[in-house]
Amino acid sequence: MAKCKITVLKCLFDTELKETYIHDSSYGPCPYFQPGQVFWTDGKRQPEGFQCKIGWKSIRDEAAGMCSEHPFFTEQVVCCNDGVRPVVFLIESVSE
């Protein structure tokens, strides 16, 4: 069964969008991820330690595709759907 490796590449934060549209003073960069973190999944379950359910929902279909027997790509760069503080991930297909 194939697995995929998910690596956090970047954690971005757009201060202009935050200041214009988010009026919560405690809202800042993503509190769940740091560049360099690595997670593993079989594509069916949220990886252990992957703390953001919304982030997982954003990338799970790509992860499932990368874990298939014959993935269309072997690497894919994806991000969560938070437009103010998106996290960018590298998903890699890994055969066992």
Side-chain angles (χ1 to χ4, degrees), residues 10-30:
K10 290 185 176 187
C11 299
L12 306 170
F13 186 69
D14 190 312
T15 55
E16 180 183 344
L17 289 176
K18 189 276 180 206
E19 290 172 6
T20 303
Y21 299 104
I22 310 291
H23 303 292
D24 178 352
S25 61
S26 66
Y27 191 89
C30 178

Side-chain angles (χ1 to χ4, degrees), residues 4 10 17 23-24 27-28 37 43-44 56 82 89:
C4 66
K10 290 185 176 187
L17 289 176
H23 303 292
D24 178 352
Y27 191 89
Q37 284 180 293
K44 297 175 186 171
W56 174 243
D82 188 325
F89 301 95

Side-chain angles (χ1 to χ4, degrees), residues 3-80:
K3 286 190 170 192
C4 66
K5 177 181 176 183
I6 302 170
T7 304
V8 178
L9 296 179
K10 290 185 176 187
C11 299
L12 306 170
F13 186 69
D14 190 312
T15 55
E16 180 183 344
L17 289 176
K18 189 276 180 206
E19 290 172 6
T20 303
Y21 299 104
I22 310 291
H23 303 292
D24 178 352
S25 61
S26 66
Y27 191 89
C30 178
Y32 302 114
F33 300 107
Q34 296 295 319
Q37 284 180 293
V38 174
F39 304 93
W40 292 87
T41 184
D42 61 4
K44 297 175 186 171
R45 290 177 283 282
Q46 182 170 323
E48 186 175 324
F50 198 101
Q51 297 182 14
C52 183
K53 290 181 182 181
I54 301 296
W56 174 243
K57 186 177 176 182
S58 298
I59 70 167
R60 72 178 173 206
D61 289 342
E62 286 82 1
M66 297 295 276
C67 290
S68 68
E69 189 175 333
H70 301 289
F72 191 70
F73 299 107
T74 56
E75 295 180 329
Q76 191 171 9
V77 176
V78 299
C79 69
C80 73

